[in-house]
Amino acid sequence: MSANVQKNRMTRRVLAAAAGLATMGALVAAMPAGAHDRGHGHGHGHGHGHKPRTVDVQLLSFNDLHGNLEPPAGSAGNVSETQPDGTVKAIPAGGVEYLATSLRTARKGNPYSVTAAGGDMVGASPLLSGLFHDEPTIEALNKLDLDVTAVGNHEFDEGATELARLQNGGCHPVEGCYEKGKKFKGADFPYLAANVTKEKTGKPLLKPYTVWKKNGVKIGFIGVTLEGTPDIVTANGVKGLKFHDEVETINKYARELDRKGVKSIVALIHEGGAPASTSYNYDCDSPGAGDGISGPIVDIAKGITPKVDALVTGHTHQAYVCTVPDPSGKPRMVTSASSFGKLYTDTTLTYDRRTNDIVRTSVKSANHIVTRDQPKAADMTSLISRWNKLAAPIANKPQGWISADINGRGSTALEKPLGNVIADAQLEGLAPADKGGAEVAFMNPGGIRADLVHRASGSEGDGVVTYGEAFTVQPFTNMMNVVDLTGAQLVAALQQQVSGSNEASPKILQISKGLTYTLDLTKTGAARVVTDSIKLNGEAIDPARTYRVAMNEFLAGGGDGFPALGQGTNKLVGASDLDVFNAYLAAHSSATAPLAPPATDRITVVQ
C-alpha cells in the first residue's frame, strides 16, 4: 500500500491545458477550521425523564479512500465474500454516491452516531480528485458528515503546507480557485496527527486528539500515522517533520484524555495488518492454525494502554474485524475497512454514564459492503458531475488502446501484467543515449494505483485508454531518473524486496523485459532471491559492471525500503512517469492493433 508520492507539480501534468478552467487567484487567507468537538446528532436524543445507565454509541468508520469518488474500475473495485459453500465471490463495491447512502442508512435509528476514518482520505487519487489537489474529496467528506480522521502517509504527499490548506481552506497557492466565485473551505472535520511534530518547535503539526460530545456522552479520538511515513513519502513531503512511535504517542495522549475525565477513547491508526483471508466476512478470531491477523498492527495493538477501547486502522487496504489482546490480556476490537470506500465498519460502543467508559465486553463490530445496487446519494452525484465537467477537457483525451483488462492494483500476483507494461515503458522511454541510456527499469508495486480496464468508463468506447485512466494508474507524476548502479547493487536491491524492512511484507519490484530471476519463497530473507538465477538479456549479472538503471525519483531516493537503489550515481532526470507511460501506449497501440496484456514470465516464483 505504500507508494511513491508528490503529485503537486502541476506544471508536469499537462495542466497548462487546464489553465482556462481555473480561476487563477492569490492564496486566500486560511479560514478557521470548522467546529471540531461536535456530534452530528443524527436521529433524536432520549426524551425527558430517567436516563438509562448505558447508551449505545454507533461508530462508523472507513479508511484509505484515496480520492476514489467514482466507483473504482475493474478488479480493484471488487470485494471478496466467502459464500456458505466455501466459494469466494467478487462483489463490485465503492463510490461515494453509494458510501453516502450506506452511511446515512446505517445512522437511521442511532441517535448517538459518530463517523471516523483511518487516514489516506486523499493522495494517489484518480484524476477527478487529483487534478484539483483533492479539493473534491474533502468537499465530499464534509457532505458525508465525517467527524474526524487520522492523517495517513498520503496526506503528506504534497507537504505540510498543503495538508494545512486541506484542513483550513483557501485556494491553491499556484492554481488559485478552480470555480469562479468559490473559495475552497477546507475540511470541517479535524485531521489528527498526534505523532507528527515540527522539527524546529517540537510541537504537534495538527491536533493530536479531539473529543466528540453529545448529551453528556464524551468519546476521545487520538489519531496517528505510521512511524515509517518518511520511508514511503518523498523527502519534500515530510521536510521539517518528525514522526514518532505510534504506541508511545497514543499512550501519552490517552493519559492526558483520562486526566481530563475522558474515559472512552478510540485510536485512529494509519497502520494495519493482513488477515489470513482476503474475504471481508472472514472470522478473524477463528482459532485455527494460521488464522487471525499478522503485521505491524498486532504489536502496536498489544502495546497500547487498556485506556483505549477500540482501534480503527488502515494503510494495508485489508478488511478485518479482529480482537487483539491489550497489555492486560483483555481482548480489544481492531478494525479496517479495505480501501477506496468499498466497505464501512459499524461498531457498537456501549457507553456507561456512571463510569464515562466503554463496556469493552459489549463492543460489537462488523464490516459491511458498500454495494452498487442501492440508490445513489443525489448530492454526491451532483458533486461528481460538477468536477467532471471541469476535468473533462484533459481527462477524456485518448492515449492508447488495449485488447483486454491489464491488471495492476487488482492483481494479487507478485509480477503484475500492468507492472510489466509500466517497467517496459520506462525502459523504452529512457533507453536512448540522450535520454539516459537505460538498460533495465524498476517500478515499485505501490505506485501502481489501478488496473487498465477494457470496458469504457465514459463515452470513449471500450478498449480506449484515456488520460484520466492513465493518470489513475500513475497519479504521482514522479520524474524518471536514470542512474549508474553496479551489478552488486542491483542484486542487493532485488534482495531488499524480501529482507530488511520488507521482510515481513515483501515489496516485489516490477521489472522490464530482459531481466529474469527466481524467487524462492520457501526460504527466508535475502536468500529468497536465487542470486545465480539473475540474468539480464540471458547473461548473468556481473557484480563489478556498471549498469544504467531507470526508475522513478522516489525509488531512486531509496524509498520503499530500497537503500541500494538510492546509491546510484551519474543521475539523469527524464520525463515524468506518466508522460513515459502515455508515450508507450501511443507507440504500441492503435484502434486496429490494441495492446494485449503481456505475459508474466520474468520472475519465476517457487512457493
Side-chain angles (χ1 to χ4, degrees), residues 223-415:
V224 297
T225 187
L226 71 158
E227 186 183 5
T229 292
D231 304 329
I232 52 175
V233 172
T234 50
N236 282 343
V238 292
K239 205 172 176 181
L241 302 175
K242 276 193 86 162
F243 291 76
H244 303 271
D245 182 83
E246 303 95 338
V247 174
E248 287 171 19
T249 304
I250 291 168
N251 290 351
K252 170 185 160 183
Y253 287 112
R255 285 193 298 272
E256 191 171 309
L257 282 166
D258 189 52
R259 282 198 303 273
K260 289 184 170 181
V262 179
K263 308 292 183 189
S264 299
I265 302 171
V266 174
L268 308 174
I269 307 171
H270 192 70
E271 178 60 290
S277 163
T278 55
S279 290
Y280 87 95
N281 57 340
Y282 163 66
D283 178 4
C284 200
D285 290 337
S286 304
D291 273 336
I293 185 171
S294 58
I297 199 62
V298 178
D299 285 338
I300 290 172
K302 285 178 177 171
I304 289 173
T305 170
K307 292 182 196 299
V308 174
D309 299 295
L311 277 53
V312 171
T313 73
H315 187 57
T316 56
H317 292 204
Q318 302 294 309
Y320 48 85
V321 172
C322 305
T323 57
V324 176
D326 70 14
S328 70
K330 291 185 180 145
R332 177 169 52 195
M333 196 61 78
V334 180
T335 68
S336 173
S338 184
S339 64
F340 300 171
K342 293 182 287 190
L343 296 177
Y344 71 92
T345 314
D346 189 337
T347 302
T348 302
L349 302 172
T350 301
Y351 184 92
D352 186 328
R353 290 182 183 277
R354 204 169 298 168
T355 63
N356 297 327
D357 207 349
I358 301 299
V359 184
R360 283 257 298 272
T361 49
S362 322
V363 175
K364 294 188 293 291
S365 195
N367 275 326
H368 301 279
I369 301 184
V370 176
T371 58
R372 298 184 197 166
D373 57 4
Q374 59 186 322
K376 294 178 179 183
D379 57 341
M380 295 298 172
T381 304
S382 98
L383 179 150
I384 287 169
S385 125
R386 212 179 81 233
W387 287 102
N388 261 333
K389 275 191 191 115
L390 287 177
I394 293 167
N396 297 338
K397 283 182 184 165
Q399 302 297 314
W401 289 262
I402 55 173
S403 64
D405 287 2
I406 304 180
N407 285 344
R409 193 76 189 182
S411 166
T412 54
L414 297 178
E415 181 185 344

Side-chain angles (χ1 to χ4, degrees), residues 100 102 213-214 334 387 397 408 601:
S102 288
K213 300 172 185 169
K214 185 168 182 200
V334 180
W387 287 102
K397 283 182 184 165
D601 53 4

